[in-house]
Amino acid sequence: MTKLYEGGVYFLDGEIFEAQNSAAGFYLGKCGKKLPEKAELKKNTIAHGILEKHNISGDGENLKLKFDAMASHDITYVGIIQTARASGLTEFPVPYVLTNCHNSLCAVGGTINEDDHVFGLSAAQKYGGIYVPAHFAVIHQYMREMMAGCGKMILGSDSHTRYGALGTMAIGEGGGELAKQLLKKTYDVAKPQVVGVYLAGKPKSGVGPMDVALTIIKEVFANGFVKNAVMEFIGSGISNLSVDFRNGIDVMTTETACLSSIWQTDAAVEAYYAAHGRKEDYAEIKQPEAAYYDRFIYVNLSEIKPMIAMPFHPSNVYAVEDVIKNPFDILKEVENSANEQLENPKLALKLTGKIHNGALFADQAVIAGCAGGTFENICNSADILRGKKTGSGEFSLSVYPSSQPVNMKLAENGVAYSLMQSGASMRSAFCGPCFGAGDVPFNGALSLRHTTRNFPNREGSKPGSGQIASVALMDARSISATAANGGKLTSAEGLDVKYTDYEYTFNKEIYQNRVYFGYNKAKAQAELKIGPNIADWPQMPALTENLLLKTAAFITDAVTTTDELIPSGETSSYRSNPIALAQFTLSRKDPEYVNRAKEIQEEENKRVSGSSDFDSQLVNVFNLLTDKFNASAENTGIGSVIYAEKPGDGSAREQAASCQKVLGGWANIAKEYATKRYRSNLINWGMLPFVIKETPQFSLGDYIFIPHIKDAVTENNKPIEAYIIKGGEKAESGGNISENGGQNTGNISESDEAITAIPFNLYLAELTEDEKKIILAGCLINYYK
């Protein structure tokens, strides 16, 4: 089905060579000349050509990229514009699309969400943007339909910013990176590795894009095979896939932890652009005749079966047929893993309770968004459900087309009618079910979804309130087969269904009649409409000479998602108010974190105001720092730090970092960072992305002192000298100040514990000159100000 090539691969005239000697012989025999050097063949990849075109650094290894267009939705654009505005924004320098597909449900509870939308429209008018109203398109479908172009690069503030199947290299990043582009700066990144993905064969009937995507994710996520690399899709099998099918695979590449993706193009892609009235945006992108890939993946589409990603990650993948044959053992395995991840004995996931008469039954199903809500997925679903019914019990099926043009065509060709007749509920273009703001299941429910993620609580449950549900990802075809079976897990493979080849015609008038197209039409005198929940960023201090951090959260999970750092769902309404949103930081993972961080921040506020009225432990800590390191409250900033093994998997939302900063956070310490975008978010908010190589000897509540941190940042010191400060709290008997338990180095009161300063090393991966300046300034806003 799939084969991974760990080492570099020579791809020559459609053939794969692991060993250089055989490749050299083949090339000599085929071309009659010596095989070019590896470095030269790397330049033949599709990705290299596009990156080179957009790089203005003059350095092929350290890129400074400028993008052709950008996109944000209504969870992120207010903060981005506010950041850029505080840094001197006057006009959007590139086409910038503001969609309204996340906070679309402006329901009971106040004016917050619609206030954001009005702000977005006023910003598009003032700065020259493109504004897509709520319910008209999910962000990525609009960008596919209206903005993608062969050879272009697009930057989006959503992690699933992927348009590679349309010949566009797109990257999802935190808001700080978009703010830089708005300020005419660059996206700085070391030249990424390129991983070739060869698609061969043709999918079986009933196998859809999610099945292919989950198969790949299963193979490459846990081992980091494509982490921060560009996935380059080539191969004879691509011509056997429709463009909708390709888009469905491509958008899920985000779940592999890759940086971006790009595909070869062909006549099908050319027809897609022509159908959308943009023939000029097509260019043929050919599979390289001779290229070198850093790693390689071979995928035989003909062997792929319907797959299901069980809670709580898109990489937790099983064949649907295996779950049908052996539901109890598989679900027990999933339960054990999930409950270990939840770390809450009061909230045990009970998936085995969904087995009735030997079969697994789901409680809900959803087909939605940029992954599931495409025209072809929904048409195939209607074919499977035609003449059948979803039933009148607990099981329900909701279908969200990805855009209003898709919705209109489904109404015109009778597909929407057919689905509604079967009992499915047709909705508008909305990303809610993907992040917990729509179709929230009942407590204990299992939801099958063709959306992008199934992280804990991503469906909207609140474990802190005793509510838990779960999502399994599955392709729209098998979801529809399951719906036709009343919720009983069913594979779409081998169904006796004749799939109708519906023609898709794109009606651009829908957008012309409602979307605001303001690029190159900035109205400097226009006023921003700022509702009561929209707040400016608070003042943030510059980095001090020394840094004293207190551990406010200590997380030992294998991976910590951005959804755990700052929950999605109903909290998204507060994303235009940095201080209000910060109150939700880690609320579902470590509910006491916010209080701990605030207590530490209060000590820093005292220090900044000149007060020395610190708590007794901190007084003793500063005594040690003064005696041992010649540090003082005047030159030593106080802040909180989060330790996590591998933080930042998932969403590009910058708030995962900015909320920590708003609460006085100065750093993260990790074994590694799950994604480049989360590390970039930390840096853009002036936070230090430390790495530790050994098992940490500090724990929750310990102080960590880092002397001369400004010098360490400036000079890219490796390693960075740091000290764990333990003790100093009230105790029954007297004690000493010591280093490593040695001789006295100072005096403390007889009622305090001994303080020890235990040395250890922290590391910072290479920082660009701009990144150093941002951290020293305290955040991106300070730097550009």
Side-chain angles (χ1 to χ4, degrees):
M1 189 183 301
T2 60
K3 181 178 179 181
L4 304 185
Y5 294 81
E6 290 281 353
V9 161
Y10 288 89
F11 185 73
L12 306 173
D13 199 25
E15 296 195 39
I16 302 163
F17 296 91
E18 290 186 86
Q20 183 173 352
N21 290 338
S22 61
F26 173 87
Y27 196 79
L28 183 63
K30 190 85 174 177
C31 304
K33 53 187 177 182
K34 184 180 177 182
L35 184 71
E37 293 294 323
K38 184 189 300 183
E40 288 303 308
L41 287 174
K42 282 187 173 185
K43 296 178 182 178
N44 289 351
T45 62
I46 300 169
H48 174 86
I50 295 176
L51 289 168
E52 185 177 48
K53 176 184 172 184
H54 292 82
N55 176 32
I56 65 169
S57 72
D59 179 350
E61 296 303 314
N62 297 292
L63 312 181
K64 290 183 174 291
L65 302 175
K66 289 215 166 184
F67 291 81
D68 298 297
M70 300 200 302
S72 294
H73 51 63
D74 48 348
I75 278 182
T76 57
Y77 65 61
V78 177
I80 291 166
I81 293 167
Q82 289 286 71
T83 299
R85 178 172 162 244
S87 307
L89 173 69
T90 56
E91 184 175 341
F92 295 159
V94 297
Y96 185 23
V97 177
L98 311 178
T99 67
N100 296 276
C101 50
H102 279 58
N103 281 341
S104 305
L105 299 181
C106 304
V108 175
T111 68
I112 288 176
N113 292 341
E114 190 62 13
D115 287 348
D116 284 357
H117 299 165
V118 171
F119 173 92
L121 177 57
S122 68
Q125 293 167 338
K126 182 176 182 66
Y127 299 118
I130 300 166
Y131 177 84
V132 184
H135 306 288
F136 269 71
V138 301
I139 179 173
H140 304 308
Q141 183 66 11
Y142 183 87
M143 297 304 287
R144 292 166 183 159
E145 293 171 345
M146 298 294 290
M147 302 301 295
C150 293
K152 288 184 179 180
M153 289 194 75
I154 291 177
L155 184 66
S157 57
D158 183 274
S159 57
H160 291 98
T161 305
R162 293 284 188 272
Y163 318 119
L166 299 174
T168 304
M169 191 180 293
I171 298 175
E173 271 286 359
E177 294 301 327
L178 279 81
K180 289 178 184 177
Q181 296 285 313
L182 292 179
L183 298 168
K184 301 182 181 179
K185 307 299 181 181
T186 57
Y187 177 79
D188 301 345
V189 63
K191 182 181 178 181
Q193 292 192 326
V194 182
V195 179
V197 184
Y198 191 94
L199 301 183
K202 181 179 181 179
K204 299 174 184 176
S205 177
V207 171
M210 181 63 86
D211 300 316
V212 178
L214 293 180
T215 300
I216 295 171
I217 293 165
K218 178 183 180 181
E219 295 296 326
V220 304
F221 174 76
N223 57 16
F225 195 79
V226 298
K227 181 179 176 182
N228 295 333
V230 177
M231 296 177 73
E232 183 162 306
F233 287 79
I234 56 176
S236 57
I238 291 177
S239 63
N240 294 323
L241 305 177
S242 68
V243 175
D244 259 7
F245 201 115
R246 300 177 204 183
N247 284 334
I249 298 170
D250 187 62
V251 74
M252 290 299 294
T253 61
T254 293
E255 304 310 320
T256 67
C258 73
L259 178 71
S260 186
S261 63
I262 189 67
W263 295 51
Q264 67 187 53
T265 64
D266 57 17
V269 178
E270 183 177 20
Y272 180 94
Y273 279 110
H276 288 80
R278 300 193 293 119
K279 289 191 292 186
E280 69 281 1
D281 285 319
Y282 174 75
E284 185 181 16
I285 299 175
K286 293 183 178 180
Q287 169 184 293
E289 292 184 3
Y292 182 88
Y293 291 99
D294 297 288
R295 286 179 299 286
F296 206 81
I297 305 167
Y298 179 87
V299 181
N300 187 342
L301 297 169
S302 305
E303 296 178 357
I304 290 177
K305 293 180 172 294
M307 309 297 278
I308 183 169
M310 289 293 188
F312 282 122
H313 200 276
S315 63
N316 191 19
V317 177
Y318 299 83
V320 173
E321 65 180 16
D322 290 342
V323 180
I324 292 171
K325 291 175 184 175
N326 187 20
F328 185 85
D329 289 344
I330 290 176
L331 292 179
K332 193 64 181 174
E333 181 180 43
V334 172
E335 279 180 354
N336 291 340
S337 174
N339 290 330
E340 185 177 323
Q341 187 173 349
L342 288 171
E343 294 181 328
N344 187 343
K346 297 180 181 179
L347 277 180
L349 201 62
K350 297 290 187 183
L351 292 177
T352 49
K354 305 295 178 185
I355 301 173
H356 305 292
N357 298 322
L360 173 62
F361 281 80
D363 305 294
Q364 182 200 60
V366 177
I367 299 169
C370 55
T374 61
F375 178 76
E376 187 175 271
N377 282 342
I378 296 174
C379 289
N380 283 182
S381 296
D383 286 332
I384 292 170
L385 278 163
R386 186 167 289 109
K388 301 179 177 64
K389 57 184 179 181
T390 61
S392 56
E394 289 176 347
F395 181 83
S396 64
L397 171 63
S398 299
V399 179
Y400 295 75
S402 53
S403 71
Q404 192 80 319
V406 170
N407 210 355
M408 175 178 273
K409 191 63 184 179
L410 295 172
E412 181 184 294
N413 67 11
V415 166
Y417 179 93
S418 178
L419 282 169
M420 287 189 284
Q421 192 175 44
S422 74
S425 173
M426 294 295 291
R427 311 293 181 87
S428 62
F430 180 38
C431 297
C434 192
F435 70 95
D439 274 306
V440 178
F442 62 81
N443 184 51
L446 171 64
S447 179
L448 302 178
R449 301 191 174 192
H450 191 154
T451 55
T452 56
R453 289 207 172 112
N454 62 337
F455 293 166
N457 326 126
R458 187 84 180 186
E459 77 302 312
S461 63
K462 298 180 182 179
S465 302
Q467 304 164 31
I468 185 68
S470 58
V471 165
L473 299 180
M474 203 160 74
D475 189 81
R477 291 147 194 81
S478 290
I479 286 176
S480 301
T482 299
N485 234 343
K488 178 183 175 181
L489 183 67
T490 305
S491 169
E493 184 181 6
L495 289 180
D496 184 17
V497 175
K498 183 179 179 180
Y499 293 103
T500 309
D501 186 18
Y502 290 100
E503 180 185 2
Y504 179 69
T505 52
F506 175 72
N507 187 338
K508 195 174 183 179
E509 284 186 16
I510 298 170
Y511 292 148
Q512 291 173 334
N513 292 341
R514 191 71 185 94
V515 172
Y516 177 79
F517 296 97
Y519 180 58
N520 278 334
K521 301 174 186 175
K523 301 174 182 177
Q525 302 308 313
E527 290 189 10
L528 292 176
K529 295 185 178 179
I530 300 177
N533 182 61
I534 298 175
D536 292 332
W537 291 103
Q539 292 294 316
M540 298 180 190
L543 186 64
T544 49
E545 184 60 38
N546 310 306
L547 205 53
L548 181 63
L549 304 174
K550 190 172 186 180
T551 311
F554 194 94
I555 304 169
T556 57
D557 292 354
V559 178
T560 302
T561 68
T562 46
D563 279 52
E564 291 171 307
L565 291 164
I566 183 64
S568 59
E570 82 287 353
T571 61
S572 63
S573 292
Y574 296 94
R575 293 190 193 277
S576 302
N577 187 326
I579 294 174
L581 181 64
Q583 312 312 307
F584 295 96
T585 312
L586 278 172
S587 58
R588 295 177 186 171
K589 187 69 183 173
D590 184 355
E592 292 304 311
Y593 164 77
V594 171
N595 288 334
R596 295 189 204 108
K598 285 181 175 180
E599 289 173 0
I600 300 165
Q601 187 176 39
E602 181 57 31
E603 299 301 315
E604 169 67 358
N605 291 340
K606 293 176 187 176
R607 185 194 73 83
V608 171
S609 69
S611 170
S612 58
D613 186 26
F614 302 125
D615 70 43
S616 60
Q617 182 189 21
L618 191 53
V619 169
N620 291 326
V621 169
F622 268 120
N623 283 342
L624 171 63
L625 300 185
T626 300
D627 292 343
K628 180 64 184 174
F629 301 100
N630 196 30
S632 66
E634 285 74 28
N635 61 16
T636 303
I638 305 167
S640 56
V641 61
I642 288 175
Y643 172 79
E645 297 274 321
K646 188 179 178 180
D649 183 31
S651 173
R653 292 190 309 264
E654 64 179 300
Q655 292 92 344
S658 65
C659 284
Q660 297 174 46
K661 183 70 172 187
V662 166
L663 293 170
W666 263 113
N668 277 193
I669 300 176
K671 292 287 185 66
E672 64 173 305
Y673 292 93
T675 57
K676 175 204 170 292
R677 56 183 172 266
Y678 178 67
R679 182 177 180 272
S680 296
N681 285 340
L682 291 173
I683 292 169
N684 285 330
W685 286 103
M687 298 180 68
L688 292 145
F690 288 125
V691 172
I692 187 170
K693 295 184 177 180
E694 59 277 326
T695 300
Q697 299 304 303
F698 58 88
S699 56
L700 185 66
D702 283 342
Y703 279 102
I704 297 170
F705 176 64
I706 309 165
H708 311 299
I709 183 59
K710 289 177 71 173
D711 293 340
V713 170
T714 302
E715 298 165 13
N716 260 356
N717 286 358
K718 300 174 184 178
I720 296 171
E721 171 189 9
Y723 296 86
I724 303 166
I725 311 295
K726 287 183 177 286
E729 297 181 276
K730 293 290 183 182
E732 293 183 359
S733 58
N736 299 310
I737 298 175
S738 63
E739 183 181 13
N740 291 325
Q743 297 298 312
N744 291 358
T745 57
N747 297 316
I748 60 174
S749 68
E750 290 187 354
S751 61
D752 292 315
E753 287 182 346
I755 298 182
T756 57
I758 305 169
F760 74 112
N761 290 328
L762 291 170
Y763 298 84
L764 284 173
E766 195 74 23
L767 297 168
T768 68
E769 290 305 309
D770 276 355
E771 287 174 338
K772 293 177 187 178
K773 293 172 183 175
I774 290 167
I775 290 173
L776 293 172
C779 67
L780 183 72
I781 294 173
N782 293 356
Y783 171 51
Y784 285 132
K785 231 175 201 177

